[in-house]
Amino acid sequence: MDSNNRVAIELEVNNEAMQSLQDSFCKANNLYLMCVGKSQGQLTTFSGTKPEENFVDYNFTAELRREIIDSFVDGNVENVIERYGTEEYLLYRGVAIRGGAGECIGVWLCFGVDKEKLPIGIQLPEEIRLTTADSFDKSISLIENLTKHYFAEKIKAQALKLKLSDEKQAEIEIESRLKKNEIMTEILRDMESEDSFADIANNILGAAGRYLECTNTALLQINPDGVDADMICEWVVKGREALSPKFKQVPVISLPFMNGKPYTISSDAVLPELFEVFFIKHEIKAGIFLPINVNDSAAMYLCFISRGQERKWSVEDLRFANDIKRILHSVLLKKITANSLASSYSALEAILQNAGYGVVVADLDTKDLLYKNETFSRMFDNEIDRLAIEEIIFDKRYTLSEINGYSANGSGKWFDISIAAIEWVDGREVRLLTFYDTTELRLYQKKVEKQAQEDVLTGLYNRQACEKDISLEFHVAKKLNKEFAVLMLDLDDFASVNEGLGYQIGDDLLEYIAHSINDISYINGKCYRVGGDEFAVIVDHANFKNLDMIIKRIMTLFDNPWTLNGQEYYCTVSMGCVKGPGDLEDSSAILTRLNIALHGAKNRGKNRFEFYDANSDAIVAEKVKLEQALRRAVEDGCKEFEVYYQPIMEFVNSIPTCCGAEALIRWNSLEYGLVLPDQFIPQAEKLKLINTIGQHVLEEATRSCKHWNDFGHPEYKVNVNLSVVQLTQVDFIDKLDEVLKETGINPNNLTLEVTESLAINDMDRMVAILEGIRSRGCRVALDDFGTGYSSLNYIRTMPLDTIKIDRAFVSDMNSDHFSELFVKTISELADSLDVDVCVEGVEFDKQIDMIGKFSVNLAQGFFFDKPLSKDDFESKYL
């Protein structure tokens, strides 16, 4: 997150100062104010008596307040919004409070009573303050100016605070890296010692325990009979009790973690009964238990234990613990092979080749590089950098233990370097250098590119631009007391064009249709592509008198075939229309009514046009009621939303084995009961609630997967579907980082599913977002492939790990030759790109037999299992 956005989100408001400012301003200017934060809610209380408050609440309704707040757009220059009530003498305004990036972080809600327009005979409570329209507008202007200056200072102060915090965090991270460097250097020295395994292990356990700040680190060895285990090595922090006296010939059956699986258990984990008993008995609050295998079976367990103090393990903690496990495994194998020099060097090389830092061993006398790992080679793959760093490696003047802030001019990267003198395997003194890439600590995160407003395929504006222009036109038309109209067009049975003629022809036809509509007189560039084969047209108030002609021209376009490259293609259209403002209070209801009118045209036979029917208000009312229930469910902390898990199977030697699950949202509404996703997800996206719901699902799913990983299934992954709305939020990557940090999940075990519709509007932006996801270590899956309008070229362009073939093709494989060929072609293409393929909707034995012939390694569907609650999934698969 960049500093401006962080300031906007984390802005601290002095409520007492705001309240004092409001009280004085209301009294001096005879009006009423209320300050509402976008994220904090109401910041000030009412300034006035109880009768005044009752009068304002009655005439300034919650719905009108919400409309004013929602009317402000991030980045827009408009800071004052005017609204009208039922009475001419009542005055309403909203004044935006904006952050450093122009985003709306709060609103002053302003209310006044115009005494010049107050009808004769109207009796108001005697306490009510009266003003004039002119005085009211001057007061609003003053509020706007005061707000700008007040919050500008707040933002500057918060920006400085955040900058200092960032610098402090960077210092902490660098100190942690240096500490780790020292520990690893110490451990690498111990690896070459000729001491006994127990002595070496004790030294390594001590260094590792100090780094991870455990109370106890230990090695438990399973006795040859497999029945008992002994604690053969232990390090204990000063002042703490040792566990080793209690762990002599302990029955393996009483050690719940000793089953060959790794366990990472933080203090906040929900423990199974056996673990809970074990932890309570030994006063353990958290622990990491890792098996060390010899001859493919667990011979020892490496234990990192926190006793008497809460501990939440991080991903870095787990990586370090696994590094120590591999080192101890290497030392153990070395001793088993009678201290063979070749064996020791091979084990060391295997460890260091997979290390996340560069390692070099150099002989300063002969100027030979005795060893370098692959990470070092990748770090300095630039010839200029490689020559420069070799001068440092062999320069005897560098006697310091570290060099911080080394800049590689060729690549622009930054490194911290640790230097130590060690004894090489043949006894000579050599130099050991470790290199850590600190580039990310020295660069500020770039601002996320603003969402593109243009549809890539057709060149028209997209849905977001359409909604914005509808809102603007509604505001202008209402102010001028004029009418305008919005048309919604949907091409009839367009999917058959793609399936029958190919996606390229479909894309060409969409482009041709779009330009033909946009070129019609009086539309003036107000044509939008709002979906795959859906278009919208705004007929503004200046051209409203030509509405009938525009409708006729559009419908006439589809009376004749479309000619592309000398070929004729037939395509009809269904169209709905809504006029405004009319009885509409705001623009948000226009798209809802458009969909009702459009669906009416579709349901009555297609290839026709219909105006919105006022008799359909019952449908609108029901939609509004559902929207209100949806809002309440989100505002209540998403408690009504439940996450179900459908197992995903991986074919191992042609045998399907559970490798994780896809997280699926269910709304168990107190009012409506179980509501299917396709009934509320579109509404959630429209109401901008999908971000909160999606974040809830992401947090719940990652938390569940971390639990599965910690309790015996480190290979389990979880798939989470992402809405396009979520992905296009400027802070999505920051929220993803928060979830990864909070849950401690291995990022590689989180797969985020996106649909190809994301690529329709802005391929470059989509690629940047997906690369940001994958840079965190998470995986990306392309969901429902084959149902959208994108081309096969997107598979090559998009950074993907998995392609999920839509259930429609899988279910039709038995009877439809095209579906069979489609699955076969995509699986072969994915195989050549080294991308996994998952087929959805598997329900029958025959489908298993057919996909077994293709390069498909993942599958899900009712044949294996239905979506299950968390408890049912864990009972069955954990």
Side-chain angles (χ1 to χ4, degrees):
M1 183 184 298
D2 62 41
S3 58
N4 284 338
N5 280 339
R6 289 180 61 185
V7 170
I9 292 171
E10 300 170 8
L11 184 63
E12 298 175 357
V13 177
N14 186 325
N15 289 45
E16 291 184 7
M18 295 290 288
Q19 186 68 50
S20 177
L21 174 65
Q22 174 183 300
D23 292 344
S24 301
F25 199 90
C26 290
K27 186 175 181 181
N29 294 275
N30 290 325
L31 47 69
Y32 299 95
L33 298 178
M34 181 187 298
C35 187
V36 179
K38 276 275 189 172
S39 60
Q40 301 101 318
Q42 187 170 329
L43 300 175
T44 60
T45 58
F46 185 78
S47 300
T49 65
K50 190 62 178 177
E52 288 177 291
E53 184 175 6
N54 293 338
F55 177 80
V56 174
D57 286 344
Y58 179 79
N59 290 283
F60 198 172
T61 64
E63 290 77 14
L64 184 53
R65 296 178 189 181
R66 173 51 56 188
E67 176 191 339
I68 291 175
I69 293 171
D70 291 343
S71 296
F72 288 104
V73 179
D74 289 348
N76 198 329
V77 296
E78 186 176 33
N79 287 325
V80 178
I81 285 182
E82 179 181 3
R83 286 292 181 268
Y84 300 93
T86 56
E87 304 295 342
E88 189 177 5
Y89 62 87
L90 299 178
L91 307 171
Y92 305 90
R93 299 286 192 281
V95 179
I97 303 171
R98 297 195 180 274
E103 72 282 12
C104 181
I105 60 175
V107 176
W108 284 108
L109 296 172
C110 312
F111 176 78
V113 179
D114 186 354
K115 60 186 177 183
E116 294 180 344
K117 293 188 179 180
L118 190 67
I120 297 175
I122 292 292
Q123 295 294 325
L124 302 179
E126 62 180 14
E127 299 95 333
I128 298 301
R129 299 166 182 160
L130 302 178
T131 184
T132 65
D134 183 58
S135 296
F136 188 74
D137 286 337
K138 290 179 179 178
S139 299
I140 298 303
S141 178
L142 181 56
I143 293 171
E144 181 184 8
N145 289 326
L146 286 173
T147 299
K148 286 180 181 178
H149 294 296
Y150 178 81
F151 282 96
E153 293 303 317
K154 285 284 182 183
I155 290 169
K156 288 179 182 177
Q158 187 70 357
L160 178 59
K161 181 179 177 181
L162 288 170
K163 183 178 179 182
L164 293 174
S165 175
D166 288 342
E167 292 176 353
K168 182 65 176 177
Q169 184 60 34
E171 290 177 7
I172 293 172
E173 291 181 5
I174 291 173
E175 288 177 3
S176 176
R177 286 175 181 268
L178 292 176
K179 183 179 178 182
K180 187 174 181 180
N181 291 356
E182 294 172 359
I183 294 294
M184 294 307 295
T185 301
E186 179 182 340
I187 289 173
L188 288 173
R189 290 197 196 101
D190 288 331
M191 284 187 66
E192 293 307 316
S193 170
E194 296 300 323
D195 294 341
S196 67
F197 174 77
D199 290 338
I200 295 173
N202 273 321
N203 291 338
I204 292 175
L205 290 177
R210 288 190 296 274
Y211 177 76
L212 286 182
E213 297 180 354
C214 302
T215 59
N216 305 68
T217 54
L219 274 177
L220 276 168
Q221 179 175 287
I222 301 174
N223 295 327
D225 58 11
V227 176
D228 299 324
D230 290 301
M231 187 173 287
I232 61 172
C233 300
E234 183 185 21
W235 171 85
V236 186
V237 71
K238 187 176 181 180
R240 293 285 185 171
E241 178 188 6
L243 286 171
S244 51
K246 301 178 182 178
F247 282 79
K248 299 297 182 183
Q249 293 187 325
V250 179
V252 170
I253 195 172
S254 68
L255 303 173
F257 57 84
M258 206 167 259
N259 55 14
K261 297 178 181 179
Y263 290 90
T264 307
I265 304 173
S266 296
S267 299
D268 58 357
V270 179
L271 298 177
E273 184 177 354
L274 291 177
F275 278 87
E276 187 173 8
V277 171
F278 176 76
F279 272 43
I280 292 174
K281 179 180 179 181
H282 298 289
E283 301 177 347
I284 297 174
K285 295 294 185 181
I288 298 175
F289 307 95
L290 303 175
I292 299 178
N293 294 338
V294 175
N295 297 328
D296 298 326
S297 63
M300 295 183 182
Y301 255 85
L302 171 61
C303 309
F304 296 89
I305 296 171
S306 177
R307 302 181 70 204
Q309 57 191 38
E310 304 288 326
R311 181 65 182 266
K312 185 171 184 179
W313 305 108
S314 68
V315 174
E316 287 302 319
D317 291 340
L318 186 57
R319 286 175 181 163
F320 180 82
N322 275 288
D323 284 342
I324 300 302
K325 167 193 163 181
R326 284 191 287 268
I327 290 171
L328 286 170
H329 182 256
S330 169
V331 175
L332 180 62
L333 291 181
K334 172 186 173 182
K335 297 303 177 182
I336 290 174
T337 55
N339 295 321
S340 168
L341 179 63
S343 174
S344 176
Y345 183 83
S346 176
L348 172 64
E349 184 175 30
I351 294 168
L352 297 182
Q353 287 296 350
N354 293 295
Y357 44 85
V359 178
V360 167
V361 178
D363 187 323
L364 302 188
D365 294 327
T366 64
K367 300 220 180 272
D368 290 330
L369 284 181
L370 304 177
Y371 175 81
K372 64 178 179 180
N373 66 355
E374 288 297 326
T375 305
F376 173 81
S377 299
R378 289 194 299 271
M379 285 178 169
F380 298 96
D381 57 357
N382 182 288
E383 185 176 358
I384 296 175
D385 294 342
R386 188 168 58 253
L387 293 174
I389 202 64
E390 285 182 0
E391 290 185 11
I392 290 179
I393 290 172
F394 296 113
D395 194 334
K396 293 184 178 181
R397 293 174 299 174
Y398 285 104
T399 57
L400 298 174
S401 61
E402 59 190 46
I403 301 173
N404 293 327
Y406 174 76
S407 174
N409 295 327
S411 63
K413 296 179 181 179
W414 293 80
F415 297 93
D416 286 349
I417 308 171
S418 295
I419 304 174
I422 66 170
E423 189 175 280
W424 191 231
V425 292
D426 57 4
R428 56 179 155 166
E429 187 173 299
V430 295
R431 173 178 282 181
L432 170 67
L433 301 96
T434 53
F435 298 81
Y436 290 87
D437 188 337
T438 60
T439 306
E440 292 185 3
L441 297 177
R442 297 176 176 274
L443 298 177
Y444 288 103
Q445 183 180 13
K446 294 181 180 180
K447 291 183 178 180
V448 179
E449 186 179 333
K450 291 184 177 180
Q451 182 182 8
Q453 294 279 312
E454 186 177 281
D455 175 56
V456 175
L457 176 64
T458 63
L460 301 180
Y461 288 115
N462 61 16
R463 186 183 188 91
Q464 182 182 359
C466 178
E467 292 177 358
K468 182 178 178 182
D469 288 352
I470 289 175
S471 178
L472 180 63
E473 181 61 28
F474 180 89
H475 179 75
V476 172
K478 192 161 187 175
K479 192 129 184 170
L480 298 176
N481 198 23
K482 300 283 188 180
E483 280 191 289
F484 73 103
V486 185
L487 309 173
M488 180 77 81
L489 298 77
D490 184 271
L491 305 184
D492 297 328
D493 303 317
F494 190 74
S496 61
V497 175
N498 281 326
E499 295 171 1
L501 303 174
Y503 286 93
Q504 185 59 54
I505 294 297
D507 288 351
D508 291 345
L509 184 55
L510 283 173
E511 188 176 2
Y512 190 12
I513 291 172
H515 292 161
S516 299
I517 297 173
N518 199 45
D519 288 342
I520 292 176
S521 301
Y522 306 113
I523 288 182
N524 295 330
K526 290 296 181 72
C527 180
Y528 309 82
R529 186 184 181 198
V530 295
D533 60 348
E534 286 187 340
F535 298 88
V537 172
I538 298 178
V539 182
D540 59 29
H541 66 278
N543 292 301
F544 182 75
K545 59 183 179 295
N546 300 305
L547 176 61
D548 291 340
M549 187 206 74
I550 292 171
I551 293 171
K552 185 176 180 180
R553 288 285 305 278
I554 293 175
M555 296 301 292
T556 302
L557 286 175
F558 293 86
D559 287 344
N560 300 306
W562 301 86
T563 303
L564 293 173
N565 299 325
Q567 297 291 322
E568 293 184 343
Y569 303 97
Y570 288 87
C571 181
T572 60
V573 68
S574 298
M575 182 162 56
C577 178
V578 172
K579 298 178 182 179
D583 61 342
L584 294 171
E585 293 298 326
D586 57 54
S587 62
S588 63
I590 289 179
L591 289 177
T592 300
R593 294 189 173 190
L594 270 174
N595 283 321
I596 293 172
L598 178 59
H599 290 151
K602 288 278 190 183
N603 294 336
R604 291 177 178 83
K606 303 180 182 179
N607 192 24
R608 58 185 290 126
F609 164 83
E610 285 196 10
F611 282 104
Y612 167 75
D613 185 357
N615 293 328
S616 300
D617 278 344
I619 300 175
V620 176
E622 184 60 31
K623 282 184 173 290
V624 171
K625 186 178 177 183
L626 181 67
E627 289 177 2
Q628 291 172 342
L630 189 59
R631 284 186 188 275
R632 286 194 295 270
V634 172
E635 290 170 357
D636 193 33
C638 293
K639 296 175 184 176
E640 296 180 9
F641 297 99
E642 301 174 359
V643 181
Y644 275 55
Y645 299 92
Q646 184 173 36
I648 298 175
M649 298 296 175
E650 181 177 15
F651 292 101
V652 180
N653 297 325
S654 301
I655 299 175
T657 304
C658 180
C659 64
E662 178 179 358
L664 301 169
I665 184 71
R666 298 289 185 266
W667 180 21
N668 193 1
S669 171
L670 294 175
E671 186 173 354
Y672 288 92
L674 190 64
V675 184
L676 298 177
D678 59 358
Q679 293 177 308
F680 74 86
I681 292 296
Q683 290 299 100
E685 291 181 335
K686 172 192 163 188
L687 299 173
K688 299 180 180 178
L689 302 174
I690 194 64
N691 293 324
T692 305
I693 296 173
Q695 189 70 10
H696 170 73
V697 175
L698 182 59
E699 291 172 358
E700 287 294 314
T702 50
R703 196 174 290 113
S704 295
C705 187
K706 180 63 165 61
H707 179 71
W708 306 337
N709 298 154
D710 290 347
F711 285 92
H713 290 281
E715 79 283 4
Y716 274 13
K717 295 177 172 59
V718 68
N719 288 31
V720 179
N721 292 279
L722 294 181
S723 162
V724 174
V725 178
Q726 280 180 271
L727 282 167
T728 52
Q729 297 302 303
V730 294
D731 61 348
F732 172 74
I733 294 296
D734 296 313
K735 288 184 176 180
L736 176 61
D737 287 338
E738 290 174 7
V739 170
L740 295 176
K741 182 178 180 181
E742 178 67 25
T743 62
I745 190 175
N746 179 354
N748 193 246
N749 286 347
L750 175 60
T751 300
L752 300 179
E753 296 191 10
V754 301
T755 62
E756 36 184 325
S757 60
L758 179 63
I760 290 176
N761 294 325
D762 190 343
M763 171 61 80
D764 291 338
R765 174 174 172 76
M766 181 276 301
V767 169
I769 293 170
L770 299 188
E771 286 179 344
I773 292 172
R774 296 183 85 207
S775 70
R776 270 68 182 170
C778 302
R779 297 166 59 83
V780 174
L782 181 62
D783 193 20
D784 298 335
F785 183 76
T787 60
Y789 297 98
S790 60
S791 66
L792 289 174
N793 185 53
Y794 287 170
I795 297 178
R796 182 168 62 90
T797 307
M798 296 167 68
L800 298 173
D801 300 286
T802 305
I803 297 172
K804 300 189 72 175
I805 299 177
D806 187 74
R807 65 181 66 248
F809 296 98
V810 179
S811 61
D812 292 342
M813 281 196 305
N814 296 335
S815 57
D816 183 10
H817 185 57
F818 173 80
S819 294
E820 182 182 358
L821 287 177
F822 180 84
V823 176
K824 180 177 184 294
T825 301
I826 297 305
S827 64
E828 291 175 351
L829 176 60
D831 187 47
S832 66
L833 295 173
D834 196 23
V835 173
D836 291 332
V837 173
C838 178
V839 293
E840 301 179 287
V842 177
E843 297 183 1
F844 305 107
D845 287 333
K846 290 183 179 179
Q847 293 169 339
I848 294 289
D849 295 338
M850 295 186 75
I851 63 178
K853 300 183 296 184
F854 309 142
S855 298
V856 173
N857 59 323
L858 301 170
Q860 65 185 101
F862 276 59
F863 178 81
F864 306 108
D865 218 330
K866 64 182 180 180
L868 303 168
S869 68
K870 181 176 182 291
D871 290 342
D872 289 344
F873 178 87
E874 292 179 353
S875 174
K876 196 168 184 179
Y877 294 98
L878 196 60

